[in-house]
Each structure stands twice: as structure tokens, then as C-alpha cells.
Amino acid sequence: MEIVCIKSINSTHLFLCDQIRSGKIKNNIALYALEQTQGVGSRENSWQSSKGNLHLSFCLKEEDLPKDLPLASVSIYFAYLIKEILANKGSKIWLKWPNDLYLDDKKAGGIISTKITNFIIGGIGLNIAFAPENRALCDIKIPIEILVKEFVKKLEKKILWKNIFSKYMLEFEKSRHFSVHYEGRIFSLKDACLYQDGSILLDNKRVYSLR
């Protein structure tokens, strides 16, 4: 996977999506920006960020995903990969279902994903140098370039979903102390049932994502 770094952009995610729709991108690529002015978060919310934070988007062909990975759970998969990299360097950041990176009880980052043609596009934002009010700052110092390279390296290993999910099952227990917004209501995750494809049961419905 080619890695490209640019100085500034409105949104790495929207840029990749536009390039794929127009047929200008043919191969897997990872794009990160030193500054992002109009970041996109989950549920089409804006992602407030600043220079020094991680603004990474990437696209890979569906055929290059692990063969057992449910498409509905790619956000969990991508998020857990970045979480593992951080954990191996001493971070206490954990993955709150389905796609938020938390430090203790505050959000430090998040993952979004979408599918266009035969590409899966993922986006990762992480507060490394700056955190908005009521948000957490990453608890370790790590150069953005190193973090991106290690993430891409993990992606290319095509680690099976079953291996990621077996560890995420334990991680999910931390999410039980939180609630989520879904279809205009708030649901506690205290008694949520986690299925092997990464979905949960909310109000007697299988929910794969909050976006």
C-alpha cells in the first residue's frame, strides 16, 4: 500500500472518496495530512482537530481484506488494529463499541468506514497533540509517520477477524459502562449481547453500526 503525506487538506476521507468515484484511484493507498480543516466524524458529524493530530484515510480493495471479515464490522477491525499498536507502546486507550477510541471515559479518537465500488475506505482520527474540550489526549508520544507505517503494515498482514474478535470480546466489557444513541434514543450497553460479526442487540434489533 502506497503511503502519501500532505501538508494540509479539508478532509482526507472526502478526498479519497471523490478520487475513487471519479476513477482516479486504482490501487490501495493511505493518505495522511499534517493539518485537516474540515474533518468528518461518524454520523456525518464534523471532527474537530489541529496540527499534530492523526488525520489518516486509506482505501483498499475488498479482495484485500481478511477472508473472514464481515464488511459490517470493518470499523471495529480497523479500530482494534490501531488500538493494538498504541497498546504495544504503553497506551491505555481502548475501543468503545463500535468505533470510538477512548482513554478512561473520554473520547480520544474514532474510525469511520464506507464502501465505494470495490474499495473499502477507512478514516482514523486521533488526538495526539490537541484535544477539544471534554475529549482525551493520547497518553503516549508517537510520531505520526511511525503510527501510519505500523498501521499499514498491520493491514497488509490480513490478520483474520476471528483472531481480532477473540480479543475484542474482552475489550467489549468496558463498553458496558456506557450508553449509545440509536434512532433518536439512548440505550445502555450494560446488557447488550455481542455477536460474532461485531453487531449487538439493541431494542430487539441487530445493530451493526451507529452511523
Side-chain angles (χ1 to χ4, degrees), residues 69-77 97-98 113 161 197-199 207-209 211:
L69 176 60
L71 287 184
S73 293
V74 292
S75 288
I76 293 176
Y77 182 85
W97 188 90
S113 61
W161 166 249
D197 60 0
S199 66
V207 179
Y208 294 85
S209 171
R211 295 194 311 280

Side-chain angles (χ1 to χ4, degrees), residues 191-205:
D191 300 314
C193 178
L194 177 69
Y195 293 93
Q196 289 188 347
D197 60 0
S199 66
I200 63 172
L201 191 66
L202 283 182
D203 197 26
N204 293 318
K205 296 179 183 178

Side-chain angles (χ1 to χ4, degrees), residues 161-174:
W161 166 249
K162 67 177 183 180
N163 295 334
I164 294 296
F165 183 75
S166 64
K167 292 179 283 189
Y168 181 65
M169 287 176 62
L170 300 176
E171 184 94 348
F172 181 76
E173 294 304 308
K174 297 180 181 179

Side-chain angles (χ1 to χ4, degrees), residues 58-197:
F58 53 94
C59 64
L60 66 165
K61 295 177 181 177
E62 189 174 343
E63 64 194 47
D64 292 325
L65 291 170
K67 59 185 179 181
D68 67 336
L69 176 60
L71 287 184
S73 293
V74 292
S75 288
I76 293 176
Y77 182 85
F78 297 148
Y80 202 85
L81 294 185
I82 200 81
K83 179 264 178 187
E84 280 198 323
I85 293 171
L86 295 172
N88 289 338
K89 298 182 181 300
S91 174
K92 301 298 183 183
I93 284 178
W94 60 281
L95 174 57
K96 175 181 173 287
W97 188 90
N99 58 351
D100 290 329
L101 297 169
Y102 265 59
L103 182 62
D104 297 326
D105 62 348
K106 289 185 172 61
K107 186 174 179 178
I111 287 78
I112 58 174
S113 61
T114 190
K115 184 178 186 295
I116 300 176
T117 64
N118 64 325
F119 279 101
I120 300 298
I121 304 98
I124 302 176
L126 179 66
N127 299 330
I128 294 177
F130 163 83
E133 186 177 0
N134 296 321
R135 294 291 187 266
L137 196 65
C138 184
D139 54 343
I140 61 171
K141 297 295 183 182
I142 179 172
I144 295 173
E145 179 183 4
I146 299 299
L147 184 55
V148 172
K149 286 182 177 179
E150 291 196 17
F151 177 74
V152 168
K153 186 176 180 180
K154 262 188 176 288
L155 268 184
E156 292 178 334
K157 288 182 178 179
K158 296 184 182 179
I159 302 170
L160 292 177
W161 166 249
K162 67 177 183 180
N163 295 334
I164 294 296
F165 183 75
S166 64
K167 292 179 283 189
Y168 181 65
M169 287 176 62
L170 300 176
E171 184 94 348
F172 181 76
E173 294 304 308
K174 297 180 181 179
S175 291
R176 296 192 185 280
H177 301 288
F178 293 82
S179 299
V180 296
H181 293 266
Y182 178 64
E183 295 186 342
R185 297 170 59 189
I186 297 177
F187 294 90
S188 170
L189 293 175
K190 180 180 179 181
D191 300 314
C193 178
L194 177 69
Y195 293 93
Q196 289 188 347
D197 60 0

Side-chain angles (χ1 to χ4, degrees), residues 6 9-20 25 31:
I6 56 176
I9 197 172
N10 58 347
S11 166
T12 56
H13 184 76
L14 294 179
F15 176 79
L16 282 190
C17 289
D18 289 343
Q19 293 292 297
I20 291 171
I25 289 182
L31 171 70

